[in-house]
Short mmCIF file of all heavy atoms in Angstrom, two decimals:
data_model
loop_
_atom_site.label_atom_id
_atom_site.label_comp_id
_atom_site.label_asym_id
_atom_site.label_seq_id
_atom_site.Cartn_x
_atom_site.Cartn_y
_atom_site.Cartn_z
N ARG A 1 106.74 330.15 24.96
CA ARG A 1 105.92 330.78 23.95
C ARG A 1 105.47 329.77 22.94
O ARG A 1 106.25 328.86 22.58
CB ARG A 1 106.68 331.92 23.31
CG ARG A 1 107.06 332.92 24.25
CD ARG A 1 107.85 334.12 23.60
NE ARG A 1 108.41 335.01 24.59
CZ ARG A 1 107.86 336.00 25.16
NH1 ARG A 1 106.59 336.26 24.82
NH2 ARG A 1 108.44 336.77 26.01
N GLN A 2 104.21 329.89 22.52
CA GLN A 2 103.67 329.02 21.46
C GLN A 2 102.66 329.80 20.62
O GLN A 2 102.19 330.82 21.00
CB GLN A 2 103.02 327.78 22.06
CG GLN A 2 101.71 328.13 22.80
CD GLN A 2 100.97 326.83 23.31
OE1 GLN A 2 101.64 325.80 23.62
NE2 GLN A 2 99.67 326.90 23.29
N ALA A 3 102.51 329.31 19.42
CA ALA A 3 101.42 329.90 18.51
C ALA A 3 100.10 329.69 19.26
O ALA A 3 99.86 328.73 19.97
CB ALA A 3 101.43 329.24 17.17
N ASN A 4 99.16 330.61 19.04
CA ASN A 4 97.82 330.53 19.63
C ASN A 4 97.18 329.15 19.29
O ASN A 4 96.96 328.89 18.11
CB ASN A 4 96.96 331.67 19.25
CG ASN A 4 95.64 331.68 19.96
OD1 ASN A 4 94.67 331.16 19.42
ND2 ASN A 4 95.63 332.21 21.17
N ALA A 5 96.91 328.46 20.36
CA ALA A 5 96.26 327.12 20.16
C ALA A 5 95.14 326.88 21.22
O ALA A 5 94.61 325.80 21.23
CB ALA A 5 97.32 326.03 20.27
N GLY A 6 94.94 327.90 22.10
CA GLY A 6 93.85 327.74 23.10
C GLY A 6 94.43 327.42 24.46
O GLY A 6 95.52 326.88 24.55
N VAL A 7 93.59 327.71 25.44
CA VAL A 7 94.06 327.56 26.79
C VAL A 7 94.36 326.10 27.19
O VAL A 7 95.28 325.83 27.88
CB VAL A 7 93.06 328.13 27.82
CG1 VAL A 7 91.71 327.36 27.88
CG2 VAL A 7 93.58 328.24 29.21
N SER A 8 93.59 325.13 26.69
CA SER A 8 93.91 323.77 27.04
C SER A 8 95.26 323.33 26.43
O SER A 8 96.06 322.64 27.15
CB SER A 8 92.76 322.83 26.43
OG SER A 8 91.58 323.12 27.12
N ALA A 9 95.52 323.69 25.22
CA ALA A 9 96.83 323.32 24.61
C ALA A 9 97.95 324.02 25.34
O ALA A 9 99.02 323.39 25.56
CB ALA A 9 96.83 323.73 23.11
N ALA A 10 97.76 325.30 25.75
CA ALA A 10 98.76 326.01 26.50
C ALA A 10 99.04 325.31 27.87
O ALA A 10 100.17 325.14 28.32
CB ALA A 10 98.37 327.47 26.75
N ARG A 11 97.97 324.97 28.51
CA ARG A 11 98.12 324.25 29.86
C ARG A 11 98.86 322.99 29.69
O ARG A 11 99.72 322.64 30.43
CB ARG A 11 96.71 324.04 30.44
CG ARG A 11 96.77 323.57 31.91
CD ARG A 11 95.38 323.47 32.52
NE ARG A 11 94.91 324.89 32.70
CZ ARG A 11 93.77 325.37 32.12
NH1 ARG A 11 93.02 324.56 31.44
NH2 ARG A 11 93.39 326.58 32.38
N ASN A 12 98.53 322.19 28.68
CA ASN A 12 99.16 320.91 28.42
C ASN A 12 100.67 321.07 28.12
O ASN A 12 101.46 320.29 28.59
CB ASN A 12 98.41 320.09 27.34
CG ASN A 12 97.06 319.60 27.73
OD1 ASN A 12 96.77 319.47 28.96
ND2 ASN A 12 96.27 319.33 26.80
N ALA A 13 100.95 322.12 27.33
CA ALA A 13 102.37 322.31 26.97
C ALA A 13 103.12 322.73 28.26
O ALA A 13 104.21 322.30 28.44
CB ALA A 13 102.49 323.44 25.90
N GLY A 14 102.55 323.54 29.11
CA GLY A 14 103.15 323.92 30.30
C GLY A 14 103.40 322.74 31.27
O GLY A 14 104.53 322.58 31.83
N VAL A 15 102.40 321.93 31.43
CA VAL A 15 102.59 320.77 32.35
C VAL A 15 103.66 319.84 31.80
O VAL A 15 104.49 319.33 32.52
CB VAL A 15 101.17 320.02 32.49
CG1 VAL A 15 101.42 318.69 33.16
CG2 VAL A 15 100.22 320.85 33.26
N SER A 16 103.69 319.68 30.47
CA SER A 16 104.69 318.84 29.85
C SER A 16 106.10 319.44 30.04
O SER A 16 107.12 318.67 30.09
CB SER A 16 104.48 318.70 28.36
OG SER A 16 103.29 317.93 28.09
N ALA A 17 106.25 320.75 30.29
CA ALA A 17 107.59 321.37 30.45
C ALA A 17 108.01 321.50 31.93
O ALA A 17 109.06 322.01 32.19
CB ALA A 17 107.51 322.76 29.83
N THR A 18 107.14 320.99 32.83
CA THR A 18 107.56 321.10 34.27
C THR A 18 108.45 319.98 34.69
O THR A 18 108.54 318.93 33.97
CB THR A 18 106.28 321.08 35.21
OG1 THR A 18 105.57 319.82 35.02
CG2 THR A 18 105.40 322.26 34.88
N THR A 19 109.11 320.15 35.76
CA THR A 19 110.05 319.16 36.28
C THR A 19 109.69 318.77 37.71
O THR A 19 110.23 317.72 38.18
CB THR A 19 111.49 319.70 36.28
OG1 THR A 19 111.59 320.85 37.07
CG2 THR A 19 111.96 319.96 34.87
N SER A 20 108.84 319.41 38.38
CA SER A 20 108.44 319.09 39.75
C SER A 20 107.43 317.88 39.76
O SER A 20 106.64 317.79 38.83
CB SER A 20 107.82 320.28 40.39
OG SER A 20 107.32 319.98 41.68
N PRO A 21 107.45 317.11 40.77
CA PRO A 21 106.38 316.05 40.85
C PRO A 21 105.05 316.68 41.30
O PRO A 21 104.05 315.95 41.19
CB PRO A 21 106.94 315.13 42.00
CG PRO A 21 107.83 316.02 42.77
CD PRO A 21 108.40 317.02 41.86
N LEU A 22 105.04 317.89 41.65
CA LEU A 22 103.78 318.61 42.00
C LEU A 22 103.59 319.77 41.09
O LEU A 22 104.42 320.64 41.00
CB LEU A 22 103.83 319.03 43.46
CG LEU A 22 104.01 317.92 44.51
CD1 LEU A 22 104.22 318.53 45.85
CD2 LEU A 22 102.81 316.98 44.45
N VAL A 23 102.37 319.81 40.43
CA VAL A 23 102.06 320.93 39.53
C VAL A 23 100.66 321.43 39.83
O VAL A 23 99.75 320.62 40.04
CB VAL A 23 102.11 320.38 38.04
CG1 VAL A 23 101.73 321.48 37.09
CG2 VAL A 23 103.46 319.78 37.76
N ALA A 24 100.50 322.72 39.79
CA ALA A 24 99.29 323.39 39.95
C ALA A 24 99.10 324.27 38.67
O ALA A 24 100.06 324.58 38.00
CB ALA A 24 99.26 324.28 41.20
N VAL A 25 97.82 324.56 38.33
CA VAL A 25 97.58 325.39 37.19
C VAL A 25 96.81 326.65 37.62
O VAL A 25 96.04 326.64 38.62
CB VAL A 25 96.82 324.66 36.07
CG1 VAL A 25 97.63 323.55 35.54
CG2 VAL A 25 95.47 324.15 36.60
N LEU A 26 97.00 327.74 36.89
CA LEU A 26 96.40 328.97 37.14
C LEU A 26 96.11 329.73 35.87
O LEU A 26 97.04 329.83 35.02
CB LEU A 26 97.30 329.89 38.14
CG LEU A 26 96.91 331.23 38.52
CD1 LEU A 26 95.68 331.15 39.40
CD2 LEU A 26 98.04 331.90 39.24
N ASP A 27 94.95 330.25 35.75
CA ASP A 27 94.69 331.12 34.59
C ASP A 27 95.37 332.48 34.79
O ASP A 27 95.40 332.96 35.85
CB ASP A 27 93.18 331.28 34.32
CG ASP A 27 92.47 330.01 33.88
OD1 ASP A 27 93.18 329.12 33.39
OD2 ASP A 27 91.28 329.85 34.17
N GLY A 28 95.78 333.02 33.70
CA GLY A 28 96.52 334.32 33.76
C GLY A 28 95.71 335.51 34.27
O GLY A 28 96.29 336.58 34.66
N ASP A 29 94.39 335.42 34.35
CA ASP A 29 93.58 336.48 34.87
C ASP A 29 93.07 336.14 36.31
O ASP A 29 92.27 336.86 36.79
CB ASP A 29 92.40 336.77 33.96
CG ASP A 29 91.44 335.63 33.77
OD1 ASP A 29 91.81 334.50 34.24
OD2 ASP A 29 90.37 335.83 33.26
N ASP A 30 93.70 335.19 36.99
CA ASP A 30 93.38 334.89 38.35
C ASP A 30 94.64 334.99 39.18
O ASP A 30 95.69 335.28 38.71
CB ASP A 30 92.96 333.40 38.43
CG ASP A 30 91.57 333.18 37.82
OD1 ASP A 30 90.78 334.13 37.81
OD2 ASP A 30 91.34 332.12 37.26
N ALA A 31 94.46 334.88 40.53
CA ALA A 31 95.54 334.95 41.42
C ALA A 31 95.26 334.05 42.59
O ALA A 31 94.09 333.73 42.97
CB ALA A 31 95.79 336.38 42.00
N PHE A 32 96.34 333.48 43.19
CA PHE A 32 96.24 332.58 44.39
C PHE A 32 96.30 333.51 45.70
O PHE A 32 97.06 334.47 45.68
CB PHE A 32 97.44 331.69 44.47
CG PHE A 32 97.37 330.50 43.51
CD1 PHE A 32 98.59 329.96 43.08
CD2 PHE A 32 96.27 329.98 43.04
CE1 PHE A 32 98.60 328.86 42.23
CE2 PHE A 32 96.26 328.90 42.14
CZ PHE A 32 97.43 328.30 41.77
N GLU A 33 95.56 333.05 46.67
CA GLU A 33 95.71 333.57 48.07
C GLU A 33 97.13 333.06 48.48
O GLU A 33 97.53 332.04 48.06
CB GLU A 33 94.63 333.09 48.95
CG GLU A 33 93.28 333.69 48.62
CD GLU A 33 93.23 335.19 48.90
OE1 GLU A 33 93.89 335.71 49.86
OE2 GLU A 33 92.56 335.93 48.10
#
């Protein structure tokens, strides 16, 4: 959770918090096949 800072800031915060060598991104209103 973070204060509202926009989708780019949220994406960057998420990528920084990952531990896998492989990372994908997905907007919350989309879905993967």
Side-chain angles (χ1 to χ4, degrees):
R1 297 179 193 277
Q2 68 176 32
N4 184 263
V7 68
S8 295
R11 188 173 294 121
N12 289 340
V15 170
S16 293
T18 62
T19 57
S20 175
L22 299 173
V23 178
V25 296
L26 179 65
D27 291 335
D29 60 350
D30 290 329
F32 286 153
E33 291 293 325

